[in-house]
Amino acid sequence: MVKSTAIERWEVAVIGAGLSGMYQLLKLRQLGFKVRVYEAGGDVGGTWYWNRYPGCRFDSESWSYVFSFSPEVLREWSWAEHFSGQPENLRYCEFLADKFDLRRDITFGARARSASWDDGAREWELIFEDGRRARSRFLVTAIGPLSAPTMPNIAGIGDFKGEAYHTGLWPHHPVSFEGKRVAVIGTGASGVQLITEVAKTVGHMTVFQRTPNWCTPLRNSRISPQEMESIRNRYDDIFRRCRETWGCFIHTADHRNAMDLSPEEREAAFEKLYNEPGFSFWQGNFRDALIDKAANDEMTKFVIKKIRARVKDQRIADKLIPTNHGYGTRRVPLESGYYEVYNQPNVKLVDLRETPIERVTEKGLKTSDADYEFDMIVYATGFDAITGAFDRIDIRGKGDQKLKDKWADGPHTYLGLNIAGFPNLLTLVGPHNAATFCNIPRCIEQNVEFVSEMLVHMREKGLKRLEATHEAEDEWTAHVYDTGNKLLAMQVDSWITGVNKNVGRQKRTFMAYAGGAPKYRQKCEEVVAHGYEGFTLR
Ligand code: NA7
C-alpha cells in the first residue's frame, strides 16, 4: 500500500532500530533533538530481530556485550548464560525499548528506498518502499554491518518446492527438522551455529561446504543468580578492560611473540587458550599470531590437531580443515560440538570444491556428481557485508553523486562516520570504522556519543552543515589500509576484505579498521579537541 505523500520533517532521521539506532534515538531525544527512527522490521533489535535461526547466539561474553550507559539497566537486567542465545538477546533489546519508551519515536515497516541530499534546502530527503517521505537536517544510518543477506548465485533457486530459509531472514514461526532431509549451504559463523543445533533433531542433514573455516570452542555455561550478582558488581572493571583491548572484547592479546618461545611453552599456551571460553584463542593469543606467518602457522597446526582428534573419519577431517588460509585470518566461528556433528551417521558433508552445485531443482540440489532430494534447504550464505546495507538504499549526495559509485572500488570515508560529498550524513558502524571489528555495543556507544556531541556542538554554534574534507577522507582511508595491510587477513578472501562472489565482488578491498578501538577512540577525541578537524562545519 502506498502511504500518503505528506512529508514528515525532523531534525535528525535515523535509519534502523537495532542497537545503534536505539541508542542514537535515546541519546538525541535526551538532548532535545526532534528525531525519528525508520525501521524496516516489525520491531526493534536489528540483528537479533532478523537472525532467529536455531543456535544463533553471542560470541561475545553477554556481560561484555551489554550497553554500559544506564546503571539502572545494568542493575535490572540479568543474563542467564555467558554467551546468550538469540531469544534472550532480542528480549534484551525489547527490554531497552520498553524501559526508555523508544517505540513511540520509531516507524516500523519502513524500508528506505532512497536518500538524497538537497543542497539548496540543506536537508536529506528519504523515500521509503511504501511511498512514505521524510526530510531531515541530519541523516544517521544505523543499518548494521551484516544486515543485507545474500542468496547464493546458483541457477534455479526459485524452483525448489520444499521449505527454504536464509539464516538472516529466519521466519517467526517455529521450524521443525524432525524426520526431515535438510540441506545446509554455507559454513560461516551462522552455518556452524545452525548445523550444530539442527543436528540434534534432524532426520538427515547434508552440509554443502565451499570453504571450511577454522572453528574453536565457545564453551558456554549458565550464569547462576549469585554469579550474576558478582558480575554486576564488576561491571565497571569489565567495561574498563574492554576499553583497553584492541577489539573491546575482554580478551587481551598475549604480549609475547609466539616465535620467541620454545615449542613446549607455545603448546602449553595454546592448550590453555583453547580451553578458555569465547574468543580467547583468537583475540587472546600471541601478539604476532595474526600478523606473522610463522606464528600463525604454529597456531594453525595446533587447531588442526584438535580437529583431527574430534572427527573420527580422517577423510572427513581433511575436508573440514581449511587449506587456503591460516587460523584467525577470517572471522572465527565459535562452536559447541560442531566437529562431532560429522561423526553422526545421519550427517553428510559435501565438499563443493570437488563437486560444485550446478543448480537448485524442484526436489533439491544437483551437484556435478549427484542429484539430492530434500524437504528443506537452509541458506547460511551470509551477507553483502558492511557496504551492502548502504547499496540497498539509493544514497545520493552533492551533485546527485551515488554513494554506490563513489565506493565502487571500496569504501572511502572519514573515520567511518562521514563521506566527503555527503553532507550531514553520519554512518554508525559504517565501513572503515573501528566498530566493524569490535565487540559491537562497546563501539556503538563510542560512535553514538561522538555523533551526538557533534550535533550538540553544531546546535550551540548555530551550524547547519557538516562534511568531511577530501583531504581528511584520503588520509583516513590511507591509514585504514596501512593498518589493514599488517594483517594476514588482508591476503584472504572474506567479507572483511570485501569479497562476495554472490554479488559479483571479486576484488579484495578492506571493509574494517584494524588499528584497534583504543587508537580509533583516541583519533576521534583528537578530532573533537581540534574543533572537528577534518570536517568543514558551516
Ligand atoms: P559468512 O561468514 O559470510 O558465511 C557464508 C557461508 O556461505 C560461507 O561458508 C560461504 O562460503 C558460503 N557461501 C556463500 N555463497 C555460497 C555459494 N554461492 N555456494 C556455496 N557456499 C556459499 O556469513 P555468516 O552468516 O555465517 O556470518 C556472517 C557474520 O555474522 C559472522 O561473521 C558473524 O560476525 C555474524 P565461502 O567462504 O564464501 O566459500
Side-chain angles (χ1 to χ4, degrees), residues 146 152-153 186-190 210-211 330-331 380-383 495 502:
L146 296 157
N153 54 349
T187 51
S190 305
R210 188 165 67 182
T211 313
R330 301 173 107 207
R331 205 295 201 172
T381 46
F383 302 88
W495 60 260
N502 295 322

Side-chain angles (χ1 to χ4, degrees), residues 228-245:
M228 189 60 229
E229 215 33 56
S230 141
I231 289 169
R232 232 187 287 281
N233 293 330
R234 286 187 284 113
Y235 266 134
D236 284 349
D237 271 354
I238 291 166
F239 298 136
R240 193 165 32 248
R241 185 161 169 192
C242 289
R243 268 177 80 80
E244 288 163 6
T245 63

Side-chain angles (χ1 to χ4, degrees), residues 201-219:
T201 56
V202 75
H204 189 278
M205 175 163 56
T206 309
V207 176
F208 293 87
Q209 171 193 267
R210 188 165 67 182
T211 313
N213 281 301
W214 297 104
C215 313
T216 33
L218 173 68
R219 304 200 189 281

Side-chain angles (χ1 to χ4, degrees), residues 15-222:
I15 309 179
L19 285 169
S20 56
M22 290 166 76
Y23 184 39
Q24 185 67 82
L25 165 60
L26 178 64
K27 197 83 193 150
L28 291 179
R29 187 205 272 168
Q30 287 169 342
L31 292 165
F33 286 92
K34 198 177 164 223
V35 52
R36 187 83 191 166
V37 177
Y38 294 93
E39 162 59 49
D43 202 352
V44 297
T47 288
W48 305 111
Y49 174 85
W50 296 104
N51 288 268
R52 294 163 186 254
Y53 62 84
C56 179
R57 65 175 60 251
F58 287 152
D59 285 336
S60 302
E61 287 70 9
S62 312
W63 33 268
S64 76
Y65 186 99
V66 69
F67 273 139
S68 73
F69 64 79
S70 163
E72 213 180 316
V73 170
L74 293 175
R75 259 197 316 277
E76 290 174 14
W77 180 263
S78 297
W79 297 105
E81 291 174 279
H82 284 278
F83 299 90
S84 171
Q86 176 274 335
E88 192 184 0
N89 307 344
L90 182 59
R91 271 197 299 279
Y92 173 68
C93 299
E94 292 165 351
F95 171 79
L96 293 174
D98 290 342
K99 174 100 200 148
F100 299 106
D101 191 15
L102 296 179
R103 292 187 185 86
R104 72 177 150 93
D105 291 321
I106 305 175
T107 305
F108 293 104
R111 183 174 286 285
R113 189 173 68 203
S114 68
S116 27
W117 173 249
D118 177 341
D119 212 30
R122 291 185 181 172
E123 280 180 343
W124 281 93
E125 173 156 303
L126 282 167
I127 301 180
F128 297 88
E129 296 283 348
D130 63 4
R132 184 192 302 271
R133 291 164 74 197
R135 281 190 158 242
S136 60
R137 172 81 65 214
F138 298 97
L139 175 62
V140 179
T141 54
I143 51 185
L146 296 157
S147 57
T150 45
M151 292 293 278
N153 54 349
I154 307 173
I157 290 231
D159 295 351
F160 182 59
K161 295 273 191 271
E163 294 172 80
Y165 308 109
H166 188 289
T167 48
L169 294 169
W170 200 260
H172 290 211
H173 61 76
V175 175
S176 165
F177 304 92
E178 261 171 61
K180 292 182 186 164
R181 298 160 303 169
V182 175
V184 180
I185 305 177
T187 51
S190 305
V192 165
Q193 287 183 333
L194 172 126
I195 289 162
T196 312
E197 193 59 30
V198 170
K200 293 174 186 167
T201 56
V202 75
H204 189 278
M205 175 163 56
T206 309
V207 176
F208 293 87
Q209 171 193 267
R210 188 165 67 182
T211 313
N213 281 301
W214 297 104
C215 313
T216 33
L218 173 68
R219 304 200 189 281
N220 188 23
S221 56
R222 300 210 46 93

Side-chain angles (χ1 to χ4, degrees), residues 347-380:
V347 176
K348 177 182 165 82
L349 178 67
V350 174
D351 187 339
L352 298 179
R353 293 165 301 184
E354 292 167 3
T355 54
I357 298 174
E358 289 181 347
R359 61 173 301 114
V360 180
T361 63
E362 269 188 33
K363 292 192 169 162
L365 292 166
K366 177 173 165 42
T367 65
S368 59
D369 79 336
D371 263 305
Y372 294 87
E373 290 191 6
F374 297 111
D375 302 303
M376 185 193 300
I377 300 178
V378 176
Y379 296 99

